[in-house]
């Protein structure tokens, strides 16, 4: 897969970043003279995390793919029209970018896992570095398998240009999931319990809970989530204070860090916020749908309630801050008349776009999701219980909503509780890149238990595919460039 994997010299060059490139001529960098110290190990791990920043990952496309096809978001931008209308093809840019960038992260993790164990350094830190690399590799493979199904499984770095090494066939989705689980389980043992600005063992267990929930392995999802719950992590007191991310409190289990420079930039805020918070005016992405805003309680729910006006640095009124979104149709400065900037916009990234170099981090895992994962997993096994309510109520009460009891209508049956958990999940995690993936897993759940979820990806697919609930669109296509370069790849059905 020539356009996915990095050949060894190129990979080693990328590992060190700009400062590393200045140390010695590129032609002298080899595995033998680079992986010689603890500093080299840390630099190689930094490059693994760096792969998550790119536009094909959490800097743009993963969140766009995770929201634009869903009922959360809309847009009139041609850049995301294929995702908005569920009309993607093997040549759709985001479909190609996410696939390619995931394998870049995987290859960098594979390099760490091959060469760091040979370095003489602090043994505990060496083990932790391997755990962090396994976490990122597990995350990348999870993002691949839930988007594309079975994919080539590469567990060692690409070190030759030979077709036999480059061109691997797809394995089954089950084999990919088995590798993801193995990576995360081992990472959770190896990783540190605290790790400033980076992933910890709680992040590994939180991701493992998400993976097991996707597979409907309810007991395993409960167990993984419970490891995070019993570790002593707490929700932040204020939902509003969570945004922008910026490593705020123990609720943040893992964020992708952005420095606000061309080498570490977050594109997304400039693409989703209105001008003049952003660099200039154009059709924005990920706009909240009218249905989503009507679905939320914009008066009492502190995740969606009005708290004041948004004011740009120049003093212009931008609109009403409803915590999760800006309503720029109201309280907008009369001097700003561009229709691009008079809509509703996500407001979980709140900083200036800074010429597409935002400093805002992006959440990958939050403790609130862990609580909802736990509640869902237990409810699927036993139905409503005080145990389920205890976790669900933490999320509800932080949002300013009343605690539920076993006498509440939401606790009348497994289905009623399932509906409430689905509702809280949508309202809590809106715009954070998980809604489409949730709708996909709901559709697959409904295939084995009819009517389990009231809205699934198939409902959205039917809306845009002339009423046809086409199951082929439960997967994205393998990018055409990968099909062209690897004769062993087979395309997903329907494409």
């Amino acid at each position: 897969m020539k356009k996915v994997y990095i050949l060894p010299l190129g990979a080693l060059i990328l590992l060190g970043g700009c400062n590393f490139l200045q140390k010695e001529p590129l032609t002298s960098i080899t595995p033998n003279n680079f992986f010689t110290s603890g500093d080299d190990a840390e630099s190689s791990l930094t490059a693994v995390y760096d792969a998550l920043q790119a536009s094909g990952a959490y800097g743009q496309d993963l969140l766009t793919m995770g929201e634009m096809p869903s009922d959360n978001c809309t847009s009139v931008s041609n850049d995301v029209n294929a995702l908005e209308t569920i009309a993607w093809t093997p040549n759709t840019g985001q479909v190609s970018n996410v696939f390619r960038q995931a394998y870049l992260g995987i290859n960098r993790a594979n390099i760490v896992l091959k060469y760091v164990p040979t370095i003489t350094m602090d043994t505990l830190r060496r083990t932790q570095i391997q755990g962090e690399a396994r976490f990122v590799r597990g995350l990348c493979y999870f993002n691949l398998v839930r988007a594309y199904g079975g994919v080539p499984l590469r567990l060692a770095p690409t070190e030759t240009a030979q077709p036999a090494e480059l061109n691997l066939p797809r394995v089954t989705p089950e084999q990919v999931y088995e590798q993801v689980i193995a990576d995360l389980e081992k990472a959770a043992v190896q990783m540190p319990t605290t790790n400033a600005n980076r992933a910890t063992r709680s992040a590994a267990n939180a991701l493992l809970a998400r993976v097991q929930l996707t597979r409907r392995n309810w007991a395993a999802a409960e167990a993984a989530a419970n490891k995070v719950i019993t570790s002593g992590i707490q929700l932040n007191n204020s939902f509003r204070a969570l945004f922008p991310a910026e490593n705020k409190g123990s609720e943040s289990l893992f964020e992708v860090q952005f420095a606000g420079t061309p080498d570490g930039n977050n594109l997304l805020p400039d693409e989703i916020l209105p001008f003049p918070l952003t660099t200039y005016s154009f059709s924005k992405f990920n706009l909240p749908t009218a249905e989503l805003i009507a679905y939320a309680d914009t008066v009492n729910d502190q995740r969606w309630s009005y708290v004041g006006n948004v004011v740009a640095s120049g003093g212009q009124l931008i609109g009403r801050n409803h915590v999760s979104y800006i309503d720029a149709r109201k309280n907008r400065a009369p001097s700003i008349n561009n229709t691009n900037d008079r809509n509703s916009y996500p407001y979980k990234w709140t900083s200036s776009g800074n010429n597409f170099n935002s400093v805002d981090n992006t959440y990958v895992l939050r403790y609130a999701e862990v609580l909802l994962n736990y509640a869902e997993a237990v409810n699927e096994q036993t139905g409503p219980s005080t145990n389920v309510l205890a976790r669900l109520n933490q999320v509800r009460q932080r949002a300013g909503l009343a605690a539920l009891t076993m006498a509440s209508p939401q606790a009348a049956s497994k289905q009623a509780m399932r509906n409430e958990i689905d509702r809280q999940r949508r309202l809590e995690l809106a715009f954070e890149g998980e809604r489409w993936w949730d709708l996909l897993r709901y559709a697959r759940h409904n295939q084995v238990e009819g009517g389990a979820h009231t809205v699934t990806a198939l409902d959205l697919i039917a809306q845009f595919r002339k009423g046809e609930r086409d199951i082929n669109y439960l997967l994205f296509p393998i990018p055409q460039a990968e099909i062209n370069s690897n004769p062993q790849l087979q395309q997903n059905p329907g494409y």
Side-chain angles (χ1 to χ4, degrees), residues 368-377 392 395 421 424-425 428:
E369 183 198 349
V370 174
L371 294 170
L372 294 170
N373 290 347
Y374 181 90
E376 181 176 344
L392 178 62
V395 176
I421 293 168
Q424 293 308 319
R425 188 176 185 90
E428 178 73 25

Side-chain angles (χ1 to χ4, degrees), residues 317-455:
L317 289 176
I318 305 300
R320 294 166 60 92
N321 177 1
H322 281 263
V323 185
S324 290
Y325 76 103
I326 297 173
D327 184 351
R329 299 165 300 176
K330 299 179 180 179
N331 297 8
R332 183 81 186 185
S335 60
I336 303 173
N337 294 316
N338 194 316
T339 56
N340 289 332
D341 307 300
R342 287 188 174 274
N343 292 291
S344 297
Y345 306 87
Y347 202 44
K348 291 185 172 181
W349 296 262
T350 65
S351 299
S352 166
N354 191 28
N355 198 27
F356 298 88
N357 293 311
S358 175
V359 298
D360 283 7
N361 294 345
T362 290
Y363 287 115
V364 178
L365 295 159
R366 286 200 288 117
Y367 184 56
E369 183 198 349
V370 174
L371 294 170
L372 294 170
N373 290 347
Y374 181 90
E376 181 176 344
V378 175
N379 184 61
E380 292 298 334
Q381 295 175 84
T382 66
S385 66
T386 55
N387 195 18
V388 171
L389 289 177
R391 307 310 177 193
L392 178 62
N393 280 337
Q394 287 181 254
V395 176
R396 283 180 55 90
Q397 289 179 286
R398 199 264 299 272
L401 305 177
L404 301 177
T405 70
M406 290 300 293
S408 300
Q410 295 92 330
S413 66
K414 177 190 287 189
Q415 185 62 58
M417 181 59 69
R418 183 186 283 151
N419 293 343
E420 173 63 15
I421 293 168
D422 288 358
R423 175 180 177 82
Q424 293 308 319
R425 188 176 185 90
R426 184 183 185 190
L427 295 173
E428 178 73 25
L429 301 175
F431 316 128
E432 295 180 42
E434 285 299 305
R435 179 60 176 172
W436 182 246
W437 312 119
D438 279 344
L439 291 171
L440 289 176
R441 68 184 184 86
Y442 295 166
R444 295 184 177 111
H445 191 177
N446 278 17
Q447 288 173 336
V448 298
E449 186 179 350
H453 300 274
T454 56
V455 178

